[in-house]
Amino acid sequence: MNAKKTGSIIAIASGKGGVGKTWLAITLAHLIARTGRKVLLFDGDIGLANVDVQLGLTPKHDLSEVFFGNTALKDVITPFVPNFDIIAGRSGSGNLASLPAAKLVTLKEQLLILSQSYDFIFIDLGAGVEEHVRALAGVATRCIVVVTDEPTSLTDAYAFIKLFTGGGATMDIGIVINQSATLKEGERTYASLNKACTNFLKLSPPCLGIIRKDGKVKDTIRNQSSLIARAPNCTAASDAATITIKLMQK
């Protein structure tokens, strides 16, 4: 009997916090769900989870039941909108960030099983390169690194890419420039990061897209909603849509 086809598992990462990683994960997932594909968004920012907060959800179940009980990952899924499900983290529970390695292995195994039931699984990783971030990134087939034009964002993104592509490690990494003043500015930001990767890592991660600054994004987050539900035709939504097209083509 043939094994069931697994969906694409995409990690959304950043070297530092505050670059719009969670917002992008929600937006990409919602856009793809609207095409009829089945999507799961896993809040992997363990200890500082906020997918449910950004969407104004009060999930009945979250990851703490998996880590500290005998609940299976599939049993803590929260439906959001048609074709778009969420697994919420446990906001404010810093103790989740120091999970035993065995729990992380079990979590990865269950994510792979779940991928047989979804076309796409997005993992909203925590910022940085802690053990649980590396473990969750390791289960992904692709990784999107979110970067802004801030120098700290660029240097931290470079450090993340170096860690996940060095020492024989291979990961399909793409770059998304977020909160860019203009497309031209976004191109310059990408060029700076790409130059460092080319010179020192001998690789050139592709730019998957540039998302321009848009007041609708802040408005959406403030109102705990999805941009695709609240302002689907705005500039940021349009820019994000070009990224989803690339993701679905691969």
Side-chain angles (χ1 to χ4, degrees), residues 57 73 90 122 127 149 200:
L57 298 175
L73 201 57
R90 183 67 178 270
F122 286 93
D149 63 358
F200 301 109

Side-chain angles (χ1 to χ4, degrees), residues 25-178:
I26 291 169
T27 303
L28 296 180
H30 200 171
L31 281 164
I32 292 178
R34 282 202 163 187
T35 71
R37 291 163 175 83
K38 198 171 180 191
V39 183
L40 174 68
L41 174 54
F42 177 91
D43 194 342
D45 194 352
I46 297 169
L48 295 171
N50 61 2
V51 166
D52 53 327
V53 175
Q54 281 206 22
L55 290 175
L57 298 175
T58 308
K60 291 181 180 178
H61 306 284
D62 62 46
L63 278 174
S64 65
E65 297 169 47
V66 177
F67 295 141
F68 302 122
N70 297 314
T71 307
L73 201 57
K74 65 181 177 62
D75 295 323
V76 298
I77 292 172
T78 300
F80 175 49
V81 293
N83 300 317
F84 184 2
D85 295 338
I86 287 166
I87 292 180
R90 183 67 178 270
S91 184
S93 294
N95 57 331
L96 291 184
S98 54
L99 286 168
K103 286 287 187 181
L104 287 172
V105 170
T106 301
L107 183 63
K108 290 167 63 175
E109 291 171 349
Q110 292 192 43
L111 269 172
L112 286 170
I113 292 170
L114 275 180
S115 71
Q116 296 178 357
S117 302
Y118 289 90
D119 296 301
F120 287 87
I121 292 180
F122 286 93
I123 303 175
D124 178 24
L125 296 175
V129 291
E130 284 75 15
E131 183 182 354
H132 66 275
V133 175
R134 298 196 300 272
L136 288 174
V139 79
T141 49
R142 304 181 69 184
C143 183
I144 296 173
V145 180
V146 187
V147 188
T148 68
D149 63 358
E150 294 180 17
T152 50
S153 174
L154 285 163
T155 55
D156 290 352
Y158 170 80
F160 180 94
I161 295 167
K162 181 179 180 181
L163 178 68
F164 282 94
T165 56
T170 57
M171 179 177 276
D172 185 355
I173 290 179
I175 308 299
V176 168
I177 306 300
N178 195 25

